[in-house]
Amino acid sequence: MNNTRFATSVHILTLLALKPEEWLSSEFIAGSININPVIVRKEIIFLSGAGLIQTKKGKDGGAKLNRPASLIYLSEILEIVHYSDMLGRKNLNTNPQCFIGSQINERLDSLFKRTDLLIKESLGKQSLADFLNQF
Amino acid sequence: MNNTRFATSVHILTLLALKPEEWLSSEFIAGSININPVIVRKEIIFLSGAGLIQTKKGKDGGAKLNRPASLIYLSEILEIVHYSDMLGRKNLNTNPQCFIGSQINERLDSLFKRTDLLIKESLGKQSLADFLNQF
DNA sequence: TTAATTGTAATGTTTTTTATTACAATTAAA
DNA sequence: TTTAATTGTAATAAAAAACATTACAATTAA
């Protein structure tokens, strides 16, 4: 993947972790990341769907953490933003009549999956609180 | 990253590893991957620049491995395609007046670098020959 | 009743990635 | 010497992905 979704989600959650009692608005969060509030709201929907945060509509609404930052792991964030195939994309349409072309995507798949798992295991040891404590 | 460069390079090298004595043309290789030959030639330039393969111009020219596949590691390929920030991109332009916004990219950088290193170490244990042997 | 906010859709813009065309330079072989 | 095949390279086009923007209904608090 080559987008900013992981960085954006981590940023959102770090802000929420810093003020666990407050409802932070998408406008405020967007101002910290310096991106459009709609992008933040869309990302927040995923985080909320995964149970990491809760949101409140209407005046003085916003988002806040649903559990302590010490119980939120970076691996969860990675899963929420659908990161996989960290080593890139495969060439679809490889030649089915070629010995290599016909099988390479299965082999790459296996390699990619093992690599993704390695990263997830590593991020599974790092909590949002750990991350925030580095500031 | 969200491109096919790693997959393409591995594909090229796997074909070369299968026929270590032959000069394979970009046209032939492109036919196996099913992409444009110019893309293959461009990728080959990087592989050649890194010393993994050699090329021969003119009629009956092409590319072949420069060392045994058992001495080529997947980590080298990763480096050649300039993969880094495997966890994605950062939001540049974060708010310098925000406690989080002003520091998050340093923290993410550190996290991203550690993650990249982990992957490189893992791929450093897998040779091209190992990969080909799975076919 | 008003103001602030989320949720969502629709559309537009920018950036990244891949493909295509073209051709000079090189090399092998007829 | 001529021909054919090939790399190396540039320039441009097309396609895909990512991000931004606008708009507004629904909701909520004050």
Side-chain angles (χ1 to χ4, degrees):
Chain A
M1 293 296 165
N2 198 20
N3 58 33
T4 52
R5 286 194 62 201
F6 181 75
T8 299
S9 277
V10 169
H11 196 139
I12 293 170
L13 291 167
T14 305
L15 287 169
L16 298 182
L18 189 65
K19 307 273 187 188
E21 301 308 321
E22 298 179 26
W23 295 98
L24 302 187
S25 75
S26 62
E27 191 89 29
F28 172 80
I29 295 171
S32 170
I33 313 180
N34 217 329
I35 60 173
N36 197 285
V38 175
I39 310 279
V40 173
R41 297 208 276 274
K42 282 180 181 164
E43 206 57 53
I44 274 178
I45 288 170
F46 287 106
L47 299 173
S48 162
L52 263 53
I53 67 179
Q54 52 181 312
T55 63
K56 190 172 72 164
K57 282 184 166 182
K59 187 165 181 178
D60 294 331
K64 58 184 253 184
L65 289 190
N66 230 349
R67 8 166 178 141
S70 57
L71 294 180
I72 292 176
Y73 292 93
L74 301 188
S75 53
E76 298 181 77
I77 307 174
L78 196 72
E79 283 182 359
I80 287 164
V81 298
H82 298 133
Y83 266 27
S84 61
D85 289 1
M86 227 85 60
L87 293 176
R89 287 202 295 223
K90 292 183 276 287
N91 291 291
L92 316 172
N93 312 322
T94 50
N95 190 341
Q97 301 183 314
C98 169
F99 175 66
I100 300 298
S102 62
Q103 301 182 62
I104 193 157
N105 280 339
E106 296 169 52
R107 306 302 157 219
L108 286 175
D109 245 343
S110 157
L111 174 63
F112 286 11
K113 283 212 170 67
R114 275 179 282 136
T115 306
D116 291 348
L117 196 60
L118 188 72
I119 296 177
K120 245 171 226 169
E121 283 170 357
S122 166
L123 294 189
K125 293 170 192 150
Q126 305 175 60
S127 75
L128 181 59
D130 295 335
F131 187 75
L132 179 58
N133 280 337
Q134 293 167 13
F135 283 75
Chain B
M1 292 298 166
N2 200 19
N3 58 33
T4 52
R5 288 193 62 200
F6 182 75
T8 299
S9 277
V10 169
H11 196 140
I12 293 170
L13 291 167
T14 305
L15 287 169
L16 298 182
L18 189 65
K19 308 273 186 188
E21 302 307 322
E22 299 179 25
W23 296 97
L24 302 187
S25 76
S26 63
E27 191 89 30
F28 171 79
I29 295 171
S32 170
I33 313 180
N34 217 331
I35 60 174
N36 197 286
V38 176
I39 309 279
V40 173
R41 296 208 278 274
K42 282 179 181 165
E43 205 57 52
I44 274 178
I45 288 170
F46 288 105
L47 298 173
S48 162
L52 264 53
I53 67 179
Q54 52 181 310
T55 62
K56 190 172 71 164
K57 281 184 166 182
K59 184 162 182 180
D60 294 331
K64 58 183 253 186
L65 288 189
N66 230 350
R67 4 166 180 143
S70 58
L71 294 180
I72 292 175
Y73 292 92
L74 302 188
S75 53
E76 297 181 78
I77 307 175
L78 195 72
E79 282 181 0
I80 288 165
V81 298
H82 298 133
Y83 266 28
S84 62
D85 289 0
M86 228 85 60
L87 292 175
R89 289 203 294 224
K90 293 183 274 289
N91 291 291
L92 316 172
N93 312 320
T94 51
N95 189 342
Q97 300 184 313
C98 170
F99 175 66
I100 300 298
S102 62
Q103 300 182 63
I104 192 156
N105 280 340
E106 297 168 51
R107 307 302 158 218
L108 286 176
D109 244 344
S110 157
L111 174 64
F112 287 11
K113 284 212 170 67
R114 275 179 282 136
T115 306
D116 291 350
L117 196 60
L118 192 69
I119 296 178
K120 243 171 227 169
E121 283 170 357
S122 166
L123 294 189
K125 293 172 193 150
Q126 305 176 61
S127 75
L128 181 58
D130 295 336
F131 187 75
L132 179 58
N133 280 337
Q134 293 166 13
F135 283 75

